[in-house]
């Protein structure tokens, strides 16, 4: 028999098997209610509004019934166990963070391999014996309590630890005596969107008032800044700043390395402003002095103080970013690093030098300058990938950084400031041979002709004949770039003949603020067009076909997947929207969702409503439509993009297309997890289910 004919016959038989399985699925009946909202003269139905109540028994029962169907389907896939075993094997190697020096100690995180949480260690000198500072795995029976913040006092005597339970964004802060590693009685609650910045015998932090109603869904307003003095109760904390007249602003405070200044940053994204204002408070004084008072779309970040002056990273009148020196005495600005054609990724001081990382076609280029902006050297990186780190104090003689790419496991380097030389400090022990895999960067035209970059990775020797299972991943929003990065959970997929594609869509920061602006608010459709064009390119160039193509994205990327599967359902075999923003008319009603108005716009605005309503995943599902095999993933403790988005979307998708689509339309709802997996085990279980769902619906077997 002709091999090609045999393959086509096998694929057809497998597809029939999958379709038969899907048709036997009986989705839970989701109650509808008569509910309409009116937006600028348009009546919009919201029949599943009741699913927004995360505390109701009816919602809990709905979640249980949906999970019974979903896990019944997933657990019947015969090769799912093999996938999980392969993922565990690939992931089971020691993973380290770059060390950070404080006093005589170096601090770092390490996960032995399959630990649910990384453990914080310290050691005296680089060759000292590591000792455990805190092991988050011991803080909860299921390993879902995470360490979110670790901030040492300047003298290293105390540290603030932030903990998150079950994947929630809410944090609780505690204080440790670093001499004997004992916890003090200090406890700070209801912390969110905050760090911990020391000054003397205490630290600044930001919090919200205790929420009324659901802690995981209630709108968060009136972000306050407090100062906590070690050894006192939270009730005694000093209120440093609040602005009740503008309840949807973020207020955060950091301190300079010498602790001479507290730096207040204020953003107003709830009113559609993409930038921020900056104020400083000199130690011993009582009034914040503005460096930038007006809040517009321009961003300002104080890198460090130089005496009474401030080194500032900004995109004010410089879409690609620049570094300026704010002269306090004359209140004037001097240019330190001028804007370049490549966007500035970040800039920071360490060891008396200014490290600046630029993106050239989404890959890192790092240069070293003196504080006045005179270039001294460019750091030679191993290839086209991503470099991060370079943090340190003024007296440091070396810094650490991490380099990674799709086929280059994360490796920690030590950079000697005097010689300008890098050396490998710690190589990963992962069972992965980079030379066996290939990563290429391609550029393809979007609908309007814009040139869009994408990275394509697969095992060398793979035949590009249009039959390869392919995952197309994207984000496209919030000025966030998707740089090259290694993931051990992709190794088993590559070894099964899979292709992973990461598209760098408009809306991110890959090419500066202009690239971001081309994918936000009224121009959001550009992001969807970029993603659709990527799929068409992959099919055209024979990497894959519509029967073997899956689209994946999380959060804003979940919105992306929901939108494109509404607009071009025939282009994809599998859709994997994770923790997505699916209700574009009500996203600002929950937790800190109002913060996204700066990127999306708001249904309160007539012009923006029209655009939002036109692509909102929830509101554009077609009755009787034939959709890709869809597995929505969310979690019960996601208080960033509340699970109601996914609940309502799944209910609508099943109601309108459950009887006409030949593919399964499922929702997988994790417990004790949040916007991301709350521990390693949950992450691997979710990934195993994704691969199993993908291969099952592509008519493939995991070998």
């Amino acid at each position: 028999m002709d091999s090609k004919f045999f393959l086509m016959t096998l694929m057809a038989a497998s597809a029939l098997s999958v379709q038969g399985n899907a048709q036997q699925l009986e989705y839970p009946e989701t109650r509808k209610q008569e509910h309409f909202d009116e937006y600028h003269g348009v009546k919009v139905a919201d029949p599943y509004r009741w699913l927004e109540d995360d505390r109701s028994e009816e919602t809990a029962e709905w979640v249980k019934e949906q999970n019974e169907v979903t896990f019944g389907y997933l657990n019947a896939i015969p090769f799912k166990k093999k996938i999980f075993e392969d993922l565990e094997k690939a992931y089971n190697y020691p993973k380290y963070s770059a060390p950070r020096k404080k006093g005589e100690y170096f601090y770092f995180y390490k996960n032995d391999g399959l630990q649910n949480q990384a453990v914080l260690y310290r050691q005296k000198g680089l060759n000292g014996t590591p000792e455990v500072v805190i092991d988050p795995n011991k803080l909860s029976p299921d390993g879902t309590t995470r360490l979110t913040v670790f901030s040492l006092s300047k003298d290293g005597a105390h540290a603030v630890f932030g903990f998150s339970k079950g994947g929630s964004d809410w944090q609780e802060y505690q204080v440790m005596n670093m001499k004997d590693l004992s916890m003090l009685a200090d406890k700070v609650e209801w912390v969110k969107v905050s760090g911990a910045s020391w000054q003397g015998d205490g630290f600044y932090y930001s919090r919200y008032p205790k929420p009324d109603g659901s802690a995981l869904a209630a709108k968060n307003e009136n972000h306050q800044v407090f100062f906590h003095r070690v050894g006192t109760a939270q009730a005694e904390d000093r209120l440093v700043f609040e602005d009740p007249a503008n309840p949807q602003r973020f207020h955060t405070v950091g301190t300079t390395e010498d602790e001479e200044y507290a730096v207040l940053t204020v953003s107003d994204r709830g009113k559609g402003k993409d930038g921020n204002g900056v104020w400083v408070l000199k130690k011993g004084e009582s009034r914040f002095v503005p460096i930038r008072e007006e809040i517009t779309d321009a961003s300002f970040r104080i890198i460090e103080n130089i005496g009474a002056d401030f080194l500032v990273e900004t995109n004010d009148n410089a879409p690609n970013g620049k570094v300026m020196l704010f002269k306090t005495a004359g209140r004037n600005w001097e240019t330190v690093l001028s804007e370049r054609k490549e966007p500035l990724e970040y800039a920071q001081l360490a060891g008396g030098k200014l490290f600046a990382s630029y993106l050239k076609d989404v890959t890192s280029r790092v240069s070293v300058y003196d504080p006045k902006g005179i270039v001294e050297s460019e750091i030679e990186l191993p290839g086209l990938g991503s470099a991060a780190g370079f943090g340190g104090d003024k007296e440091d003689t070396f810094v650490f950084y991490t380099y990674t790419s799709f086929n280059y496991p994360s490796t920690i380097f030590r950079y000697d400031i005097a010689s300008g030389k890098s050396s490998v400090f710690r190589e990963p022990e992962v069972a992965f041979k980079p030379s066996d895999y290939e990563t290429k960067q391609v550029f393809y035209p979007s609908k309007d002709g814009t040139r869009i970059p994408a990275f394509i990775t697969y095992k060398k020797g793979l035949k590009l004949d249009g039959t390869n299972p392919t995952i197309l991943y994207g984000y496209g929003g919030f000025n966030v770039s998707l740089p090259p990065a290694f993931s051990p959970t992709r190794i088993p997929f590559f070894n099964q003949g899979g292709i992973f594609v990461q598209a760098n869509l408009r809306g991110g920061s890959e090419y500066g603020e202009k690239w971001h602006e081309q994918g936000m608010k009224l121009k959001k459709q550009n992001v969807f067009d970029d993603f659709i064009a990527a799929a068409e390119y992959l099919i055209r160039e024979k990497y894959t076909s519509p029967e073997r193509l899956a689209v994946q994205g999380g959060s804003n990327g979940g919105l992306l997947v929901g939108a494109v599967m509404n607009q071009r359902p025939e282009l994809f075999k599998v859709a994997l929207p994770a923790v997505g923003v699916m209700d574009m008319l009500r996203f600002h009603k929950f937790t800190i969702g109002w913060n996204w108005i700066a990127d999306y716009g708001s249904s309160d605005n007539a012009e923006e409503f029209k655009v939002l309503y036109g692509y909102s995943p929830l509101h554009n599902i077609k009755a009787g439509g034939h959709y890709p095999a869809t597995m929505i993933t969310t979690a019960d403790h996601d208080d960033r993009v509340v699970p109601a988005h996914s609940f309502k979307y799944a209910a609508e998708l099943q109601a309108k297309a459950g009887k006409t689509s030949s593919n399964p339309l499922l929702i997988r709802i994790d417990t004790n997890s949040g916007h991301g997996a709350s521990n390693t085990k949950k992450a691997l279980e979710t990934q195993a289910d994704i691969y199993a769902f993908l291969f099952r619906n592509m008519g493939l077997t995991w070998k």
Side-chain angles (χ1 to χ4, degrees):
M1 180 183 289
D2 178 77
S3 60
K4 184 174 181 181
F5 177 79
F6 176 78
L7 177 63
M8 292 175 65
T9 304
L10 183 63
M11 288 173 62
S14 299
L16 285 173
S17 173
V18 170
Q19 291 171 5
N21 181 280
Q23 289 172 341
Q24 295 170 12
L25 286 175
E26 291 189 16
Y27 304 109
E29 191 73 29
T30 306
R31 176 176 66 85
K32 289 186 176 182
Q33 64 178 167
E34 285 288 321
H35 187 99
F36 292 88
D37 294 308
E38 186 168 320
Y39 298 88
H40 313 287
V42 179
K43 288 185 71 176
V44 178
D46 195 357
Y48 306 114
R49 176 70 62 86
W50 62 271
L51 282 169
E52 292 180 357
D53 185 356
D54 64 308
R55 299 181 298 170
S56 79
E57 291 184 8
E58 188 178 13
T59 299
E61 182 62 26
W62 183 89
V63 168
K64 179 184 174 184
E65 291 175 356
Q66 289 287 345
N67 270 344
E68 285 175 353
V69 173
T70 298
F71 286 104
Y73 177 91
L74 293 170
N75 293 337
I77 299 173
F79 46 81
K80 193 185 93 161
K81 182 179 178 183
K82 175 67 164 56
I83 295 175
F84 184 78
E85 291 171 351
D86 288 352
L87 286 169
E88 274 198 324
K89 184 178 179 181
Y91 199 83
N92 191 10
Y93 66 94
K95 303 166 195 69
Y96 294 83
S97 72
R100 183 66 190 265
K101 187 174 183 294
K102 178 67 76 168
E104 60 182 348
Y105 287 102
F106 284 88
Y107 292 83
F108 63 93
Y109 294 93
K110 179 190 177 187
N111 187 311
D112 289 340
L114 294 175
Q115 290 177 287
N116 276 319
Q117 307 292 339
V119 178
L120 178 63
Y121 293 86
R122 71 178 181 182
Q123 64 187 52
K124 288 186 178 181
L126 290 177
N127 299 314
T129 301
E131 66 173 329
V132 173
V133 175
I134 193 162
D135 182 356
N137 297 289
K138 298 179 179 180
L139 300 178
S140 59
D142 59 356
T144 59
T145 295
R146 295 181 297 121
L147 178 59
T148 56
V149 167
F150 170 58
S151 177
L152 281 156
S153 61
K154 187 173 177 61
D155 60 7
H158 295 94
V160 179
F161 291 86
F163 300 100
S164 163
K165 298 178 181 178
S168 170
D169 280 346
W170 288 114
Q171 300 174 73
E172 180 182 287
Y173 283 3
Q174 297 182 41
V175 179
M176 178 182 280
N177 180 330
M178 298 308 292
K179 184 176 181 180
D180 59 10
L181 302 184
S182 62
M183 282 292 185
L184 305 183
D186 303 53
K187 184 178 291 187
V188 174
E189 297 179 304
W190 301 112
V191 180
K192 186 182 278 194
V193 190
S194 178
S197 299
W198 285 89
Q199 191 175 64
D201 61 354
F203 58 89
Y204 296 94
Y205 69 94
S206 302
R207 59 159 292 186
Y208 285 103
K210 182 179 179 179
D212 293 326
S214 169
L216 297 176
K219 184 183 286 190
N220 302 143
E221 294 186 322
N222 193 20
H223 204 218
Q224 302 165 311
V225 178
F226 286 89
F227 183 84
H228 176 83
R229 190 165 59 84
V230 172
T232 63
Q234 184 174 10
E236 299 175 36
D237 290 355
R238 174 168 55 90
L239 178 63
V240 175
F241 187 86
E242 68 173 339
D243 186 1
N246 293 285
Q248 293 183 349
R249 285 184 172 183
F250 286 139
H251 308 117
T252 57
V253 167
T255 52
T256 54
E257 183 184 329
D258 60 11
E259 296 189 359
E260 283 299 307
Y261 293 91
V263 179
L264 171 68
T265 301
V266 180
S267 63
D268 201 7
R269 295 179 58 84
K271 291 185 179 177
K273 303 297 184 182
D274 203 35
N276 62 275
V278 182
W279 285 257
V280 294
L281 173 65
K282 187 172 175 55
K283 191 174 182 179
E285 297 184 357
S286 59
R287 187 176 67 88
F288 280 97
V289 177
I291 287 181
R292 169 71 178 216
E293 188 166 8
E294 183 184 9
I295 301 175
T296 64
D297 288 332
S299 64
F300 295 82
R301 182 183 70 86
I302 291 184
I303 301 169
E304 195 55 81
N305 69 310
I306 300 178
D309 300 329
F310 297 91
L311 204 59
V312 181
E313 181 184 332
T314 179
N315 63 0
D316 188 29
N317 295 315
N320 286 345
K322 60 185 178 181
V323 176
M324 306 287 288
L325 183 67
F326 178 75
K327 307 282 285 185
T328 302
R331 299 195 60 79
N332 60 303
W333 296 83
E334 292 181 0
T335 300
V336 177
L337 297 182
S338 300
E339 181 184 23
R340 292 176 20 175
K341 64 178 182 179
E342 300 89 7
L344 177 63
E345 193 177 15
Y346 58 82
Q348 55 191 3
L349 280 174
K353 304 296 179 183
L354 179 61
F355 293 83
S357 177
Y358 293 88
L359 285 179
K360 183 175 176 59
D361 288 331
V362 205
T363 58
S364 297
R365 303 290 190 277
V366 183
S367 298
V368 184
Y369 301 83
D370 75 3
K372 293 184 178 180
I374 299 174
V375 64
E376 295 186 348
S377 63
E378 183 169 318
I379 296 177
E380 187 175 343
L381 300 175
L384 298 180
S386 307
F390 305 100
D393 295 333
K394 293 176 182 177
E395 70 273 11
D396 288 345
T397 58
F398 58 87
V399 294
F400 294 98
Y401 66 93
T402 302
Y403 174 84
T404 184
S405 192
F406 293 104
N407 60 346
Y408 195 105
S410 297
T411 303
I412 301 170
F413 289 83
R414 171 177 166 169
Y415 177 79
D416 184 80
I417 295 175
S419 67
K421 301 294 184 183
S422 292
S423 58
V424 174
F425 174 74
R426 184 166 278 146
E427 286 185 295
E429 301 170 24
V430 59
F432 178 82
K433 189 178 179 182
S435 59
D436 288 346
Y437 302 83
E438 180 176 357
T439 291
K440 62 173 70 171
Q441 187 179 36
V442 300
F443 296 86
Y444 63 89
S446 188
K447 182 178 181 179
D448 62 1
T450 300
R451 187 171 176 258
I452 310 296
F455 292 95
I456 305 175
T457 305
Y458 50 87
K459 199 165 186 179
K460 285 183 178 177
L462 187 68
K463 187 177 180 181
L464 303 181
D465 58 2
T467 65
N468 303 299
T470 300
I471 296 174
L472 172 59
Y473 182 85
Y475 187 78
F478 293 93
N479 207 28
V480 173
S481 67
L482 289 184
F486 178 79
S487 172
T489 59
R490 295 189 197 122
I491 298 173
F493 178 63
F494 293 144
N495 292 342
Q496 295 289 326
I499 298 175
F500 180 80
V501 183
Q502 185 165 287
N504 295 103
L505 317 172
R506 282 175 284 185
S509 63
E510 285 86 346
Y511 292 99
E513 182 57 27
K514 289 182 178 179
W515 191 256
H516 174 212
E517 291 172 354
Q518 284 296 309
M520 58 190 290
K521 292 187 176 178
L522 303 182
K523 298 180 180 179
K524 189 67 176 178
Q525 183 61 39
N526 284 336
V527 183
F528 312 141
D529 291 342
D530 293 352
F531 206 48
I532 290 168
E536 292 172 334
Y537 172 87
L538 295 169
I539 295 166
R540 185 169 63 247
E541 296 298 319
K542 304 293 185 183
Y543 287 98
T544 191
S545 65
E547 285 298 305
R548 292 287 169 84
L549 179 58
V551 280
Q552 184 181 33
S555 195
N556 175 72
L559 155 64
L560 168 69
V561 172
V564 299
M565 62 181 274
N566 278 337
Q567 296 180 12
R568 293 291 302 277
E570 82 289 351
L571 203 54
F572 319 108
K573 183 59 182 176
V574 176
L576 301 165
V579 293
V581 186
M582 301 307 203
D583 184 346
M584 298 309 297
L585 304 186
R586 287 179 56 76
F587 67 82
H588 55 302
K589 303 290 185 181
F590 307 99
T591 64
I592 58 169
W594 46 262
N595 173 53
W596 312 331
I597 290 174
D599 227 69
Y600 294 145
S602 169
S603 57
D604 295 337
N605 176 287
E607 186 180 19
E608 291 170 350
F609 160 74
K610 184 178 180 181
V611 173
L612 291 166
Y613 192 39
Y615 71 74
S616 176
L618 174 65
H619 299 96
N620 287 276
I621 298 170
K622 298 176 180 63
H626 294 276
Y627 282 90
T630 302
M631 186 166 72
I632 306 155
T633 52
T634 187
D636 63 349
H637 277 61
D638 188 350
D639 48 0
R640 195 175 312 171
V641 180
V642 293
H645 281 277
S646 294
F647 292 176
K648 292 164 64 175
Y649 176 71
E652 186 81 354
L653 188 63
Q654 290 173 355
K656 285 189 173 179
K659 291 182 172 61
T660 56
S661 179
S662 57
N663 296 311
L665 307 172
L666 304 174
I667 180 168
R668 182 188 188 278
I669 306 157
D670 207 350
T671 56
N672 272 344
S673 211
H675 200 57
S678 56
N679 65 27
T680 295
K681 186 172 184 289
K682 287 181 176 292
L684 295 180
E685 287 174 343
T686 302
Q687 191 60 58
D689 285 350
I690 286 171
Y691 283 150
F693 184 83
L694 185 150
F695 270 60
R696 178 75 175 92
N697 285 284
M698 290 183 179
L700 298 169
T701 298
W702 192 279
K703 301 173 184 176

